[in-house]
């Protein structure tokens, strides 16, 4: 079981110059071990009209996003598109050409979640082909909110959130400086394409000749969806069809679970609880094979789900031990076990570490295993 490591969530404010644009917890990354097609190592044929293209993510230890191409009677449909970067675009175009098609032939784009390594090239694909773009409404809301909001608002919000989490002033100061300088206009996500179709949970997507059902799996993002291909496995593997799992279920990585609240939103969400519930839902589904957006295809989804559920329960127990003394989310993040010492974690990744620490604390509070200490400012938490 890998250990969680904080990384920068795409679309979240970061200080210009921080190159760690990673969504998932960066445990050791396994390379795609599946066979390749011809002399194009970035293309994989999964059989049954499903292919995969490795689209690179710049400055990212994950290396690539696995963009899946699903053949339909109306033309190819992409499941995710990759990061908006010239090299990524060129790889996507070359991959489609290797499959005997072109980006202009793409009929539709189905997005598992709004992060730029999944949604980044969607707008460019739509411009080239006229394809529709589909996304769950909760993530579409994040896209619309990010596009419409003055970027400085997010830096102010992050500064306030970090202060409330107990971050020292020397950590918050660069955010204030970036906000004053205007450098935040380089943030990813500000130009993300607004989807024109909604993915409705539990419903079949309108794909000619295919049965692809949406399963809402919030946690990694509020509107993350897995996509269940309700068709027999081409190699007759035992199980219930195939699952495009996005970042929800990966073979060797535990995805980052953080917070996606609007600055004016006063609701207290429980993204870790949402994620764990969603994991159990996928475990009960029992797909024959999982086609994730990173690493490689794998089988035994229920076994992987059990590993992740056990991992998070073990992690929560470890946090309870740390909360024997009152700690702010920042103080907790400093003491949590990552795959490298806190002093070596990049600036932007520390912000996401604190977000993940707070998400775990919220789960413990909701379970009645921890509580806020009255009168503390910034708020500290303790085990009960």
């Amino acid at each position: 079981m890998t250990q969680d490591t904080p990384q920068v969530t795409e679309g979240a404010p970061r200080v210009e110059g921080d190159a760690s644009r990673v969504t998932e917890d960066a445990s050791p990354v396994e390379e795609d071990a599946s066979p390749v097609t011809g002399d194009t190592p970035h293309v994989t044929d999964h059989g049954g009209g499903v292919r995969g293209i490795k689209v690179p993510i710049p400055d990212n230890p994950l290396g690539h996003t696995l963009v899946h191409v699903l053949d339909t009677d109306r033309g190819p449909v992409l499941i995710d598109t990759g990061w908006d970067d010239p090299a990524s675009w060129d790889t996507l175009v070359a991959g489609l050409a290797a499959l005997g098609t072109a980006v202009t032939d793409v009929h539709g784009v189905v997005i598992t979640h709004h992060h730029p390594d999944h949604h980044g090239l969607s707008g460019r694909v739509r411009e080239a082909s006229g394809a529709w773009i589909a996304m769950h409404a909760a993530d579409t809301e994040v896209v619309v909110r990010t596009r419409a909001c003055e970027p400085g608002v997010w830096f102010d919000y992050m500064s306030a959130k970090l202060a409330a989490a107990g971050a020292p002033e020397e950590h918050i100061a660069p955010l204030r400086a970036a906000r004053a300088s205007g450098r935040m206009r380089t943030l990813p996500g500000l130009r993300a394409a607004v989807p024109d179709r909604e993915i409705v949970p539990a419903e079949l997507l309108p794909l000619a000749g295919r049965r692809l059902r949406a399963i809402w799996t919030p946690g990694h993002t509020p509107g993350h969806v897995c996509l269940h291909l309700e068709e027999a496995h081409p190699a007759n593997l035992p199980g219930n069809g195939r699952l495009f799992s996005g970042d929800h279920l990966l073979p060797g990585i535990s995805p980052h679970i953080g917070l996606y609240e609007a600055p004016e939103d006063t609701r207290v969400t429980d993204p870790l609880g949402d994620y764990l519930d969603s994991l159990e839902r996928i475990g009960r589904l029992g797909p024959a094979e999982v086609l994730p957006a990173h690493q490689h295809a794998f089988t035994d989804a229920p076994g992987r789900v059990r590993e992740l559920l056990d991992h998070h329960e073990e992690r929560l127990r470890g946090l309870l031990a740390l909360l024997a003394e009152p700690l702010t989310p920042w103080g907790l993040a400093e003491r949590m076990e990552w795959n490298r010492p806190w002093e070596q974690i990049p600036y932007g990744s520390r912000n996401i570490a604190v977000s993940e620490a707070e998400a775990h604390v919220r789960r413990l509070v909701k379970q009645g295993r921890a509580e806020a200490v009255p009168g503390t400012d910034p708020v500290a938490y303790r085990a009960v």
Side-chain angles (χ1 to χ4, degrees), residues 197-272:
R197 293 192 181 185
E198 180 180 343
I199 296 176
V200 180
E203 290 191 3
L204 287 171
L205 277 74
L207 304 182
R210 308 307 296 250
R211 289 186 59 84
L212 188 68
R213 192 176 302 277
I215 304 173
W216 185 31
T217 50
H220 182 55
T221 70
H224 191 291
V225 294
C226 291
L227 302 156
H228 185 211
L229 191 58
E230 298 179 339
E231 301 169 11
H233 191 281
N236 295 317
L237 295 181
N240 188 13
R242 288 184 281 181
L243 185 76
F244 300 99
S245 65
D247 285 356
H248 182 68
L249 189 63
L250 302 167
I253 300 172
S254 173
H256 166 72
I257 308 298
L259 305 175
Y260 282 93
E261 295 155 348
E264 69 279 3
D265 197 342
T266 58
R267 293 174 297 176
V268 178
T269 60
D270 179 20
L272 180 56

Side-chain angles (χ1 to χ4, degrees), residues 20 46 87 99 229 259 266 323 330-331 379:
S20 56
H46 295 285
L99 299 176
L229 191 58
L259 305 175
T266 58
L323 291 174
W330 178 274
V379 178

Side-chain angles (χ1 to χ4, degrees), residues 25 121 126 302:
D25 304 336
L121 287 171
R126 181 166 61 188

